[in-house]
Amino acid sequence: MTATVPRTEPTVATTGEPAGKRSRHARSFGLPVATALVMGNIIGGGIFLLPASVAPFGTVSLVAFAVLTVGAIALALVFGRLAARHPRTGGPYVYAREAFGDFAGFLAAWSYWITAWVSNAALAVAAVGYLDVLVPLQDSKPATMAAALLLQWLPALANLAGTRYVGAVQLVATVMKFVPLLFVAVGGLFFFDADNLGPFEASGSGALGAISASAAILLFSYLGVESAAVSAGEVRDPRRNVGRATLLGTAGAAVLYLLGTLAVFGTVAHDELIGSTAPFSDAVNAMFGGAWGGTAVACMALVSMVGALNGWTLLSAQTPYAAARDGLFPAFFARKRRGVPTAGVLVTVVLASLLTVYNYTAGADGVFEILVLITTFTATVPYLLSTAAQIHYLASGQAHRVDRARLVRDGVLASVAAAFSLWLVAGSGYAAVYQGVLFLFAGVLVYAWMSARNRRTAAGTEGSAGRA
């Protein structure tokens, strides 16, 4: 049995820096910025392709969207309840460790970290495709690779400048992408033509089969609901604001997703939408004429992706930071400056950059896509552990951790959130689950090394105390 680091409340300020010595570049996030962090991380670049991706299944895909929205909001509420009990940086890592011990906490941190830095590389590569609409790059591999790296390092530099700048960039980016997307989504309703919708079920597999198939594509649109919980230590009044920000951000993203998809369905003919590579561009062109939709959507997509990269860069450093403070990750991840875990940001952006370079130079078709698909599985591990922690508290009768007046409601929410998380795993596919488990097993070796080191340190401390 290995030595366990005691799970104690932090003795420093919420930013991780001693009170009174906090840098002027560090600033706690209020409710608006925390909400923007959630919404900005959920809405990356996928929204610009989603309508075309689900069009082959027919409008029944909107039903799948509605069902998934219920699951995502249930998960958001569970995170809010958990954050009220454990308002500390780390989110799912903290909840899993408090409920089940060091090993579960480490698995949550490890899998979430993998998800973050691989996803950052994927997001930057995808953003280059939109940048190419504005500045032709694809004919030059060095220029394309340089652009992808630049799109990763600019948000990283904003993070290194301090939480004050992270929050400002996130709020501006969220407003800049939310307003035009909402304009298209709402404006499309005025140009809505029911004849464009096509059949309710177009795949021929039956309504239930079409819902399941389209849900497998849509499931990952809500990854990021945990954003405020992961950064709880940087949120002002986290017991109150994390839950609110999580719910508001998830609901805001859901409204934009549903309205946007419906607007595109109603403005672009179904047969044309199935083959579309830029459905929002086609919708703008259909509504207002001309061919300027591609440029407009490319600008919106770039803003959306840079905002998502900014938020995910912070999250990719927060969970290792929390685990490192507890001795479960290497100690350098616990270094913090200006409210930001600088070592975590640097390690994450370097790994993502290396993966990006590999994507452009290795010439191995499909390798990068496989890695990205694996992250859709690794992201569900912290979700499942978090919902399991909530169910654990509810079922074990720990009165100090459970609001008795809300017991039934919390139980229903936890059950729905758990079902949503399991659905995410199923939607990942057999190959992703198989290879994702290998990533988790690699983490087990890291945990073995860290726990052995902690045990040696504890034995040395006890020996010194005995000699004294």
Side-chain angles (χ1 to χ4, degrees), residues 11-45:
T11 56
V12 296
T14 55
T15 58
E17 297 173 357
K21 293 185 179 181
R22 189 178 304 172
S23 167
R24 63 187 177 89
H25 301 286
R27 180 173 294 175
S28 297
F29 299 152
L31 180 60
V33 173
T35 302
L37 184 66
V38 175
M39 190 179 299
N41 287 350
I42 292 176
I43 302 175

Side-chain angles (χ1 to χ4, degrees), residues 75-136:
L75 185 61
L77 289 169
V78 168
F79 276 124
R81 298 293 299 144
L82 289 167
R85 284 192 287 270
H86 307 296
R88 309 204 302 274
T89 293
Y93 158 74
V94 173
Y95 314 145
R97 185 170 184 258
E98 288 289 337
F100 308 119
D102 286 351
F103 185 60
F106 174 84
L107 285 181
W110 177 261
S111 57
Y112 194 80
W113 184 54
I114 291 172
T115 300
W117 65 263
V118 176
S119 296
N120 276 5
L123 199 56
V125 170
V128 171
Y130 290 101
L131 181 61
D132 188 59
V133 175
L134 307 175
V135 182

Side-chain angles (χ1 to χ4, degrees), residues 47 51 62 65 178 181-189 192 222 251-267 280:
I47 187 174
L62 294 174
F65 233 142
F178 186 80
L181 281 173
L182 188 61
F183 171 75
V184 173
V186 175
L189 300 180
F192 192 90
Y222 284 110
V255 168
L256 194 57
Y257 277 150
L258 289 167
L259 283 179
T261 303
L262 182 61
V264 173
F265 273 17
T267 53
F280 270 80

Side-chain angles (χ1 to χ4, degrees), residues 11-415:
T11 56
V12 296
T14 55
T15 58
E17 297 173 357
K21 293 185 179 181
R22 189 178 304 172
S23 167
R24 63 187 177 89
H25 301 286
R27 180 173 294 175
S28 297
F29 299 152
L31 180 60
V33 173
T35 302
L37 184 66
V38 175
M39 190 179 299
N41 287 350
I42 292 176
I43 302 175
I47 187 174
F48 298 97
L49 295 175
L50 277 178
S53 299
V54 298
F57 302 103
T59 53
V60 70
S61 57
L62 294 174
V63 177
F65 233 142
V67 173
L68 291 174
T69 298
V70 172
I73 290 177
L75 185 61
L77 289 169
V78 168
F79 276 124
R81 298 293 299 144
L82 289 167
R85 284 192 287 270
H86 307 296
R88 309 204 302 274
T89 293
Y93 158 74
V94 173
Y95 314 145
R97 185 170 184 258
E98 288 289 337
F100 308 119
D102 286 351
F103 185 60
F106 174 84
L107 285 181
W110 177 261
S111 57
Y112 194 80
W113 184 54
I114 291 172
T115 300
W117 65 263
V118 176
S119 296
N120 276 5
L123 199 56
V125 170
V128 171
Y130 290 101
L131 181 61
D132 188 59
V133 175
L134 307 175
V135 182
L137 295 170
Q138 299 289 15
D139 292 336
S140 172
K141 183 177 288 186
T144 302
M145 184 166 60
L149 294 174
L150 182 64
L151 287 169
Q152 291 177 52
W153 278 92
L154 286 178
L157 293 175
N159 273 263
L160 293 173
T163 52
R164 175 181 181 178
Y165 303 100
V166 176
V169 170
Q170 195 65 29
L171 189 59
V172 171
T174 300
V175 171
M176 287 182 66
K177 71 182 176 184
F178 186 80
V179 171
L181 281 173
L182 188 61
F183 171 75
V184 173
V186 175
L189 300 180
F190 292 95
F191 296 86
F192 192 90
D193 185 351
D195 292 337
N196 289 327
L197 293 177
F200 177 72
E201 197 283 294
S203 66
S205 59
L208 186 59
I211 289 175
S212 297
S214 57
I217 297 174
L218 298 170
L219 276 169
F220 315 113
S221 303
Y222 284 110
L223 295 181
V225 298
E226 73 290 342
S227 301
V230 172
S231 295
E234 277 61 58
V235 177
R236 195 177 306 124
D237 190 9
R239 294 184 188 276
R240 178 184 178 90
N241 284 334
V242 167
R244 290 184 171 188
T246 302
L247 181 58
L248 289 173
T250 304
V255 168
L256 194 57
Y257 277 150
L258 289 167
L259 283 179
T261 303
L262 182 61
V264 173
F265 273 17
T267 53
V268 182
H270 180 257
D271 292 340
E272 179 184 345
L273 183 59
I274 291 177
S276 175
T277 58
F280 270 80
S281 295
D282 294 338
V284 171
N285 292 337
M287 285 186 280
F288 304 108
W292 55 274
T295 301
V297 170
C299 291
M300 287 188 291
L302 276 175
V303 171
S304 179
M305 289 183 170
V306 170
L309 279 166
N310 180 65
W312 277 104
T313 298
L314 176 64
L315 296 188
S316 66
Q318 295 285 31
T319 299
Y321 163 77
R325 289 186 64 190
D326 294 330
L328 299 182
F329 257 55
F332 62 82
F333 280 102
R335 296 172 187 169
K336 210 169 193 183
R337 186 181 181 188
R338 297 177 174 179
V340 174
T342 51
V345 169
L346 287 172
V347 171
T348 293
V349 73
V350 167
L351 287 174
S353 297
L354 291 173
L355 185 56
T356 301
V357 172
Y358 175 76
N359 174 63
Y360 285 113
T361 59
D365 293 337
V367 172
F368 193 71
E369 289 75 11
I370 290 172
L371 287 172
V372 173
L373 187 59
I374 290 170
T375 66
T376 60
F377 164 72
T378 58
T380 63
V381 175
Y383 290 178
L384 278 170
L385 288 171
S386 296
T387 54
Q390 176 73 338
I391 292 172
H392 167 74
Y393 293 142
L394 294 171
S396 61
Q398 299 183 38
H400 64 294
R401 298 180 182 273
V402 178
D403 187 338
R404 293 291 183 179
R406 300 174 177 176
L407 183 60
V408 174
R409 188 200 71 175
D410 284 352
V412 171
L413 287 175
S415 299

